[in-house]
Amino acid sequence: FIPSIMSFFKGKNPVNRPQVSDSGISGRHGAFESRVSTIASKVIKYRVFVVSTALAVFALSVLGILNITVESDEVRYLKPGNEFRMATESIQKNLGGITSLDIIVETEKKNGIKQPALLSRIEGLQRFCEEFELVSYSLSIVDLIKRINFVLHENNPQYDRLPRETEVIKRVRYQKTDGKEQRITVEETISGFKQVSQFLLLYEMSGGEATDEYVDSRYRTTRISIRLKDMSSQELEAVVSEIRAYVEKNFPESVKIDYANHYIRVV
């Protein structure tokens, strides 16, 4: 770099170039060459100090690199008194946050999401995620199915739940005996899979569209939306790490789980 800079100055004739002698750098110099020669002489004279200082700076740099925190929360780039930052922090504190973690659950077969056993596992995962301080709440197809079951049973708290593998339902029938009509309650057994299918069919036929946000048309893939109180990627990484461990322990290998948040795909 220095020779290229020197080529722009006068005194390109070899006689004007500095000469190196045993005592140091000397000779005829231009203004730039003179300054460079002075610096070179100082470096040679105080070489121990220069090397020691360079090593000290390098050591401090290494310590600094080890303490670098990679973060994607751009709100924190703004000053604490910034209006946008204050509004965002207020939403995060009082309204559940402005970003989310999406957990994608994919099955191998069509209508695989309707299986009560898998729905129960998804509900368990939601409850597990809600235990973290970073998480404000979660939503999935499970919440919709539970709500439908609750409403269709006249808001009976006993049915504020997912259908089981096998459900016993009561049907009212009327039959005439001796010319009189009598009301008879008959118990029937139905699979939880069929009950979930009927719930969703009834909901969609009535004009409901919320399922579009949480499950695909073939009911092979569903999404769990985990609302986050903070946008910190460091905290998110720690939460995802624990969620992965829970998934490996409680979900079968045939079910594929993936993760994504509002900004980047979580690898």
mmCIF file with all atom_site columns, all heavy atoms in Angstrom, residues 221-235:
data_model
loop_
_atom_site.group_PDB
_atom_site.id
_atom_site.type_symbol
_atom_site.label_atom_id
_atom_site.label_alt_id
_atom_site.label_comp_id
_atom_site.label_asym_id
_atom_site.label_entity_id
_atom_site.label_seq_id
_atom_site.pdbx_PDB_ins_code
_atom_site.Cartn_x
_atom_site.Cartn_y
_atom_site.Cartn_z
_atom_site.occupancy
_atom_site.B_iso_or_equiv
_atom_site.pdbx_formal_charge
_atom_site.auth_seq_id
_atom_site.auth_comp_id
_atom_site.auth_asym_id
_atom_site.auth_atom_id
_atom_site.pdbx_PDB_model_num
ATOM 1   N N   . THR A 1 221 ? -50.930 -31.420 7.968  1.00 0.00 ? 221 THR A N   1
ATOM 2   C CA  . THR A 1 221 ? -49.997 -30.502 8.612  1.00 0.00 ? 221 THR A CA  1
ATOM 3   C C   . THR A 1 221 ? -50.761 -29.460 9.409  1.00 0.00 ? 221 THR A C   1
ATOM 4   O O   . THR A 1 221 ? -51.771 -28.924 8.942  1.00 0.00 ? 221 THR A O   1
ATOM 5   C CB  . THR A 1 221 ? -49.118 -29.798 7.564  1.00 0.00 ? 221 THR A CB  1
ATOM 6   O OG1 . THR A 1 221 ? -48.467 -30.782 6.765  1.00 0.00 ? 221 THR A OG1 1
ATOM 7   C CG2 . THR A 1 221 ? -48.075 -28.917 8.228  1.00 0.00 ? 221 THR A CG2 1
ATOM 8   N N   . THR A 1 222 ? -50.287 -29.178 10.599 1.00 0.00 ? 222 THR A N   1
ATOM 9   C CA  . THR A 1 222 ? -50.914 -28.153 11.427 1.00 0.00 ? 222 THR A CA  1
ATOM 10  C C   . THR A 1 222 ? -49.853 -27.240 12.014 1.00 0.00 ? 222 THR A C   1
ATOM 11  O O   . THR A 1 222 ? -48.665 -27.582 12.046 1.00 0.00 ? 222 THR A O   1
ATOM 12  C CB  . THR A 1 222 ? -51.744 -28.793 12.559 1.00 0.00 ? 222 THR A CB  1
ATOM 13  O OG1 . THR A 1 222 ? -52.498 -27.776 13.222 1.00 0.00 ? 222 THR A OG1 1
ATOM 14  C CG2 . THR A 1 222 ? -50.851 -29.493 13.569 1.00 0.00 ? 222 THR A CG2 1
ATOM 15  N N   . ARG A 1 223 ? -50.292 -26.085 12.480 1.00 0.00 ? 223 ARG A N   1
ATOM 16  C CA  . ARG A 1 223 ? -49.380 -25.074 13.017 1.00 0.00 ? 223 ARG A CA  1
ATOM 17  C C   . ARG A 1 223 ? -49.791 -24.706 14.434 1.00 0.00 ? 223 ARG A C   1
ATOM 18  O O   . ARG A 1 223 ? -50.954 -24.438 14.704 1.00 0.00 ? 223 ARG A O   1
ATOM 19  C CB  . ARG A 1 223 ? -49.412 -23.824 12.130 1.00 0.00 ? 223 ARG A CB  1
ATOM 20  C CG  . ARG A 1 223 ? -48.597 -22.648 12.663 1.00 0.00 ? 223 ARG A CG  1
ATOM 21  C CD  . ARG A 1 223 ? -48.612 -21.503 11.657 1.00 0.00 ? 223 ARG A CD  1
ATOM 22  N NE  . ARG A 1 223 ? -49.902 -20.869 11.578 1.00 0.00 ? 223 ARG A NE  1
ATOM 23  C CZ  . ARG A 1 223 ? -50.282 -19.805 12.295 1.00 0.00 ? 223 ARG A CZ  1
ATOM 24  N NH1 . ARG A 1 223 ? -49.448 -19.273 13.173 1.00 0.00 ? 223 ARG A NH1 1
ATOM 25  N NH2 . ARG A 1 223 ? -51.481 -19.266 12.140 1.00 0.00 ? 223 ARG A NH2 1
ATOM 26  N N   . ILE A 1 224 ? -48.802 -24.699 15.314 1.00 0.00 ? 224 ILE A N   1
ATOM 27  C CA  . ILE A 1 224 ? -49.012 -24.206 16.673 1.00 0.00 ? 224 ILE A CA  1
ATOM 28  C C   . ILE A 1 224 ? -48.378 -22.824 16.751 1.00 0.00 ? 224 ILE A C   1
ATOM 29  O O   . ILE A 1 224 ? -47.184 -22.669 16.504 1.00 0.00 ? 224 ILE A O   1
ATOM 30  C CB  . ILE A 1 224 ? -48.367 -25.126 17.719 1.00 0.00 ? 224 ILE A CB  1
ATOM 31  C CG1 . ILE A 1 224 ? -48.840 -26.571 17.537 1.00 0.00 ? 224 ILE A CG1 1
ATOM 32  C CG2 . ILE A 1 224 ? -48.679 -24.644 19.127 1.00 0.00 ? 224 ILE A CG2 1
ATOM 33  C CD1 . ILE A 1 224 ? -48.087 -27.562 18.401 1.00 0.00 ? 224 ILE A CD1 1
ATOM 34  N N   . SER A 1 225 ? -49.159 -21.812 17.077 1.00 0.00 ? 225 SER A N   1
ATOM 35  C CA  . SER A 1 225 ? -48.645 -20.449 17.174 1.00 0.00 ? 225 SER A CA  1
ATOM 36  C C   . SER A 1 225 ? -48.356 -20.130 18.638 1.00 0.00 ? 225 SER A C   1
ATOM 37  O O   . SER A 1 225 ? -49.262 -20.105 19.470 1.00 0.00 ? 225 SER A O   1
ATOM 38  C CB  . SER A 1 225 ? -49.663 -19.451 16.610 1.00 0.00 ? 225 SER A CB  1
ATOM 39  O OG  . SER A 1 225 ? -49.189 -18.128 16.728 1.00 0.00 ? 225 SER A OG  1
ATOM 40  N N   . ILE A 1 226 ? -47.075 -19.904 18.939 1.00 0.00 ? 226 ILE A N   1
ATOM 41  C CA  . ILE A 1 226 ? -46.640 -19.576 20.299 1.00 0.00 ? 226 ILE A CA  1
ATOM 42  C C   . ILE A 1 226 ? -46.322 -18.082 20.350 1.00 0.00 ? 226 ILE A C   1
ATOM 43  O O   . ILE A 1 226 ? -45.352 -17.627 19.744 1.00 0.00 ? 226 ILE A O   1
ATOM 44  C CB  . ILE A 1 226 ? -45.392 -20.390 20.706 1.00 0.00 ? 226 ILE A CB  1
ATOM 45  C CG1 . ILE A 1 226 ? -45.603 -21.880 20.407 1.00 0.00 ? 226 ILE A CG1 1
ATOM 46  C CG2 . ILE A 1 226 ? -45.055 -20.144 22.160 1.00 0.00 ? 226 ILE A CG2 1
ATOM 47  C CD1 . ILE A 1 226 ? -46.679 -22.531 21.211 1.00 0.00 ? 226 ILE A CD1 1
ATOM 48  N N   . ARG A 1 227 ? -47.133 -17.305 21.041 1.00 0.00 ? 227 ARG A N   1
ATOM 49  C CA  . ARG A 1 227 ? -46.922 -15.865 21.120 1.00 0.00 ? 227 ARG A CA  1
ATOM 50  C C   . ARG A 1 227 ? -45.823 -15.551 22.122 1.00 0.00 ? 227 ARG A C   1
ATOM 51  O O   . ARG A 1 227 ? -45.818 -16.057 23.245 1.00 0.00 ? 227 ARG A O   1
ATOM 52  C CB  . ARG A 1 227 ? -48.212 -15.170 21.524 1.00 0.00 ? 227 ARG A CB  1
ATOM 53  C CG  . ARG A 1 227 ? -48.147 -13.654 21.562 1.00 0.00 ? 227 ARG A CG  1
ATOM 54  C CD  . ARG A 1 227 ? -47.785 -13.060 20.224 1.00 0.00 ? 227 ARG A CD  1
ATOM 55  N NE  . ARG A 1 227 ? -48.708 -13.412 19.168 1.00 0.00 ? 227 ARG A NE  1
ATOM 56  C CZ  . ARG A 1 227 ? -48.628 -12.918 17.932 1.00 0.00 ? 227 ARG A CZ  1
ATOM 57  N NH1 . ARG A 1 227 ? -47.653 -12.094 17.613 1.00 0.00 ? 227 ARG A NH1 1
ATOM 58  N NH2 . ARG A 1 227 ? -49.492 -13.294 17.023 1.00 0.00 ? 227 ARG A NH2 1
ATOM 59  N N   . LEU A 1 228 ? -44.862 -14.699 21.701 1.00 0.00 ? 228 LEU A N   1
ATOM 60  C CA  . LEU A 1 228 ? -43.689 -14.386 22.513 1.00 0.00 ? 228 LEU A CA  1
ATOM 61  C C   . LEU A 1 228 ? -43.770 -12.967 23.081 1.00 0.00 ? 228 LEU A C   1
ATOM 62  O O   . LEU A 1 228 ? -44.192 -12.043 22.389 1.00 0.00 ? 228 LEU A O   1
ATOM 63  C CB  . LEU A 1 228 ? -42.420 -14.534 21.675 1.00 0.00 ? 228 LEU A CB  1
ATOM 64  C CG  . LEU A 1 228 ? -42.222 -15.887 20.973 1.00 0.00 ? 228 LEU A CG  1
ATOM 65  C CD1 . LEU A 1 228 ? -40.973 -15.846 20.095 1.00 0.00 ? 228 LEU A CD1 1
ATOM 66  C CD2 . LEU A 1 228 ? -42.137 -17.016 21.982 1.00 0.00 ? 228 LEU A CD2 1
ATOM 67  N N   . LYS A 1 229 ? -43.299 -12.811 24.306 1.00 0.00 ? 229 LYS A N   1
ATOM 68  C CA  . LYS A 1 229 ? -43.296 -11.495 24.953 1.00 0.00 ? 229 LYS A CA  1
ATOM 69  C C   . LYS A 1 229 ? -42.099 -10.653 24.528 1.00 0.00 ? 229 LYS A C   1
ATOM 70  O O   . LYS A 1 229 ? -42.097 -9.443  24.740 1.00 0.00 ? 229 LYS A O   1
ATOM 71  C CB  . LYS A 1 229 ? -43.266 -11.664 26.472 1.00 0.00 ? 229 LYS A CB  1
ATOM 72  C CG  . LYS A 1 229 ? -44.442 -12.417 27.052 1.00 0.00 ? 229 LYS A CG  1
ATOM 73  C CD  . LYS A 1 229 ? -44.285 -12.597 28.551 1.00 0.00 ? 229 LYS A CD  1
ATOM 74  C CE  . LYS A 1 229 ? -45.416 -13.405 29.144 1.00 0.00 ? 229 LYS A CE  1
ATOM 75  N NZ  . LYS A 1 229 ? -45.241 -13.636 30.599 1.00 0.00 ? 229 LYS A NZ  1
ATOM 76  N N   . ASP A 1 230 ? -41.072 -11.281 23.992 1.00 0.00 ? 230 ASP A N   1
ATOM 77  C CA  . ASP A 1 230 ? -39.836 -10.582 23.646 1.00 0.00 ? 230 ASP A CA  1
ATOM 78  C C   . ASP A 1 230 ? -39.351 -11.065 22.292 1.00 0.00 ? 230 ASP A C   1
ATOM 79  O O   . ASP A 1 230 ? -39.646 -12.188 21.876 1.00 0.00 ? 230 ASP A O   1
ATOM 80  C CB  . ASP A 1 230 ? -38.765 -10.834 24.712 1.00 0.00 ? 230 ASP A CB  1
ATOM 81  C CG  . ASP A 1 230 ? -37.657 -9.794  24.674 1.00 0.00 ? 230 ASP A CG  1
ATOM 82  O OD1 . ASP A 1 230 ? -36.921 -9.774  23.675 1.00 0.00 ? 230 ASP A OD1 1
ATOM 83  O OD2 . ASP A 1 230 ? -37.523 -9.015  25.631 1.00 0.00 ? 230 ASP A OD2 1
ATOM 84  N N   . MET A 1 231 ? -38.570 -10.224 21.586 1.00 0.00 ? 231 MET A N   1
ATOM 85  C CA  . MET A 1 231 ? -38.063 -10.568 20.270 1.00 0.00 ? 231 MET A CA  1
ATOM 86  C C   . MET A 1 231 ? -36.615 -11.037 20.308 1.00 0.00 ? 231 MET A C   1
ATOM 87  O O   . MET A 1 231 ? -35.959 -11.141 19.272 1.00 0.00 ? 231 MET A O   1
ATOM 88  C CB  . MET A 1 231 ? -38.183 -9.346  19.345 1.00 0.00 ? 231 MET A CB  1
ATOM 89  C CG  . MET A 1 231 ? -39.626 -8.890  19.135 1.00 0.00 ? 231 MET A CG  1
ATOM 90  S SD  . MET A 1 231 ? -39.747 -7.250  18.386 1.00 0.00 ? 231 MET A SD  1
ATOM 91  C CE  . MET A 1 231 ? -38.969 -7.553  16.805 1.00 0.00 ? 231 MET A CE  1
ATOM 92  N N   . SER A 1 232 ? -36.089 -11.314 21.477 1.00 0.00 ? 232 SER A N   1
ATOM 93  C CA  . SER A 1 232 ? -34.697 -11.712 21.631 1.00 0.00 ? 232 SER A CA  1
ATOM 94  C C   . SER A 1 232 ? -34.437 -13.078 21.000 1.00 0.00 ? 232 SER A C   1
ATOM 95  O O   . SER A 1 232 ? -35.084 -14.069 21.353 1.00 0.00 ? 232 SER A O   1
ATOM 96  C CB  . SER A 1 232 ? -34.330 -11.753 23.109 1.00 0.00 ? 232 SER A CB  1
ATOM 97  O OG  . SER A 1 232 ? -33.065 -12.357 23.290 1.00 0.00 ? 232 SER A OG  1
ATOM 98  N N   . SER A 1 233 ? -33.485 -13.147 20.077 1.00 0.00 ? 233 SER A N   1
ATOM 99  C CA  . SER A 1 233 ? -33.147 -14.417 19.439 1.00 0.00 ? 233 SER A CA  1
ATOM 100 C C   . SER A 1 233 ? -32.391 -15.329 20.393 1.00 0.00 ? 233 SER A C   1
ATOM 101 O O   . SER A 1 233 ? -32.467 -16.557 20.284 1.00 0.00 ? 233 SER A O   1
ATOM 102 C CB  . SER A 1 233 ? -32.305 -14.167 18.178 1.00 0.00 ? 233 SER A CB  1
ATOM 103 O OG  . SER A 1 233 ? -31.118 -13.463 18.495 1.00 0.00 ? 233 SER A OG  1
ATOM 104 N N   . GLN A 1 234 ? -31.674 -14.754 21.363 1.00 0.00 ? 234 GLN A N   1
ATOM 105 C CA  . GLN A 1 234 ? -30.957 -15.557 22.343 1.00 0.00 ? 234 GLN A CA  1
ATOM 106 C C   . GLN A 1 234 ? -31.931 -16.323 23.239 1.00 0.00 ? 234 GLN A C   1
ATOM 107 O O   . GLN A 1 234 ? -31.758 -17.516 23.479 1.00 0.00 ? 234 GLN A O   1
ATOM 108 C CB  . GLN A 1 234 ? -30.046 -14.658 23.188 1.00 0.00 ? 234 GLN A CB  1
ATOM 109 C CG  . GLN A 1 234 ? -28.875 -14.060 22.425 1.00 0.00 ? 234 GLN A CG  1
ATOM 110 C CD  . GLN A 1 234 ? -27.866 -15.103 22.009 1.00 0.00 ? 234 GLN A CD  1
ATOM 111 O OE1 . GLN A 1 234 ? -27.484 -15.963 22.795 1.00 0.00 ? 234 GLN A OE1 1
ATOM 112 N NE2 . GLN A 1 234 ? -27.432 -15.046 20.766 1.00 0.00 ? 234 GLN A NE2 1
ATOM 113 N N   . GLU A 1 235 ? -32.952 -15.636 23.718 1.00 0.00 ? 235 GLU A N   1
ATOM 114 C CA  . GLU A 1 235 ? -33.950 -16.294 24.553 1.00 0.00 ? 235 GLU A CA  1
ATOM 115 C C   . GLU A 1 235 ? -34.743 -17.312 23.746 1.00 0.00 ? 235 GLU A C   1
ATOM 116 O O   . GLU A 1 235 ? -35.084 -18.391 24.238 1.00 0.00 ? 235 GLU A O   1
ATOM 117 C CB  . GLU A 1 235 ? -34.886 -15.253 25.167 1.00 0.00 ? 235 GLU A CB  1
ATOM 118 C CG  . GLU A 1 235 ? -34.212 -14.330 26.180 1.00 0.00 ? 235 GLU A CG  1
ATOM 119 C CD  . GLU A 1 235 ? -35.203 -13.424 26.868 1.00 0.00 ? 235 GLU A CD  1
ATOM 120 O OE1 . GLU A 1 235 ? -36.325 -13.893 27.167 1.00 0.00 ? 235 GLU A OE1 1
ATOM 121 O OE2 . GLU A 1 235 ? -34.883 -12.251 27.106 1.00 0.00 ? 235 GLU A OE2 1
#
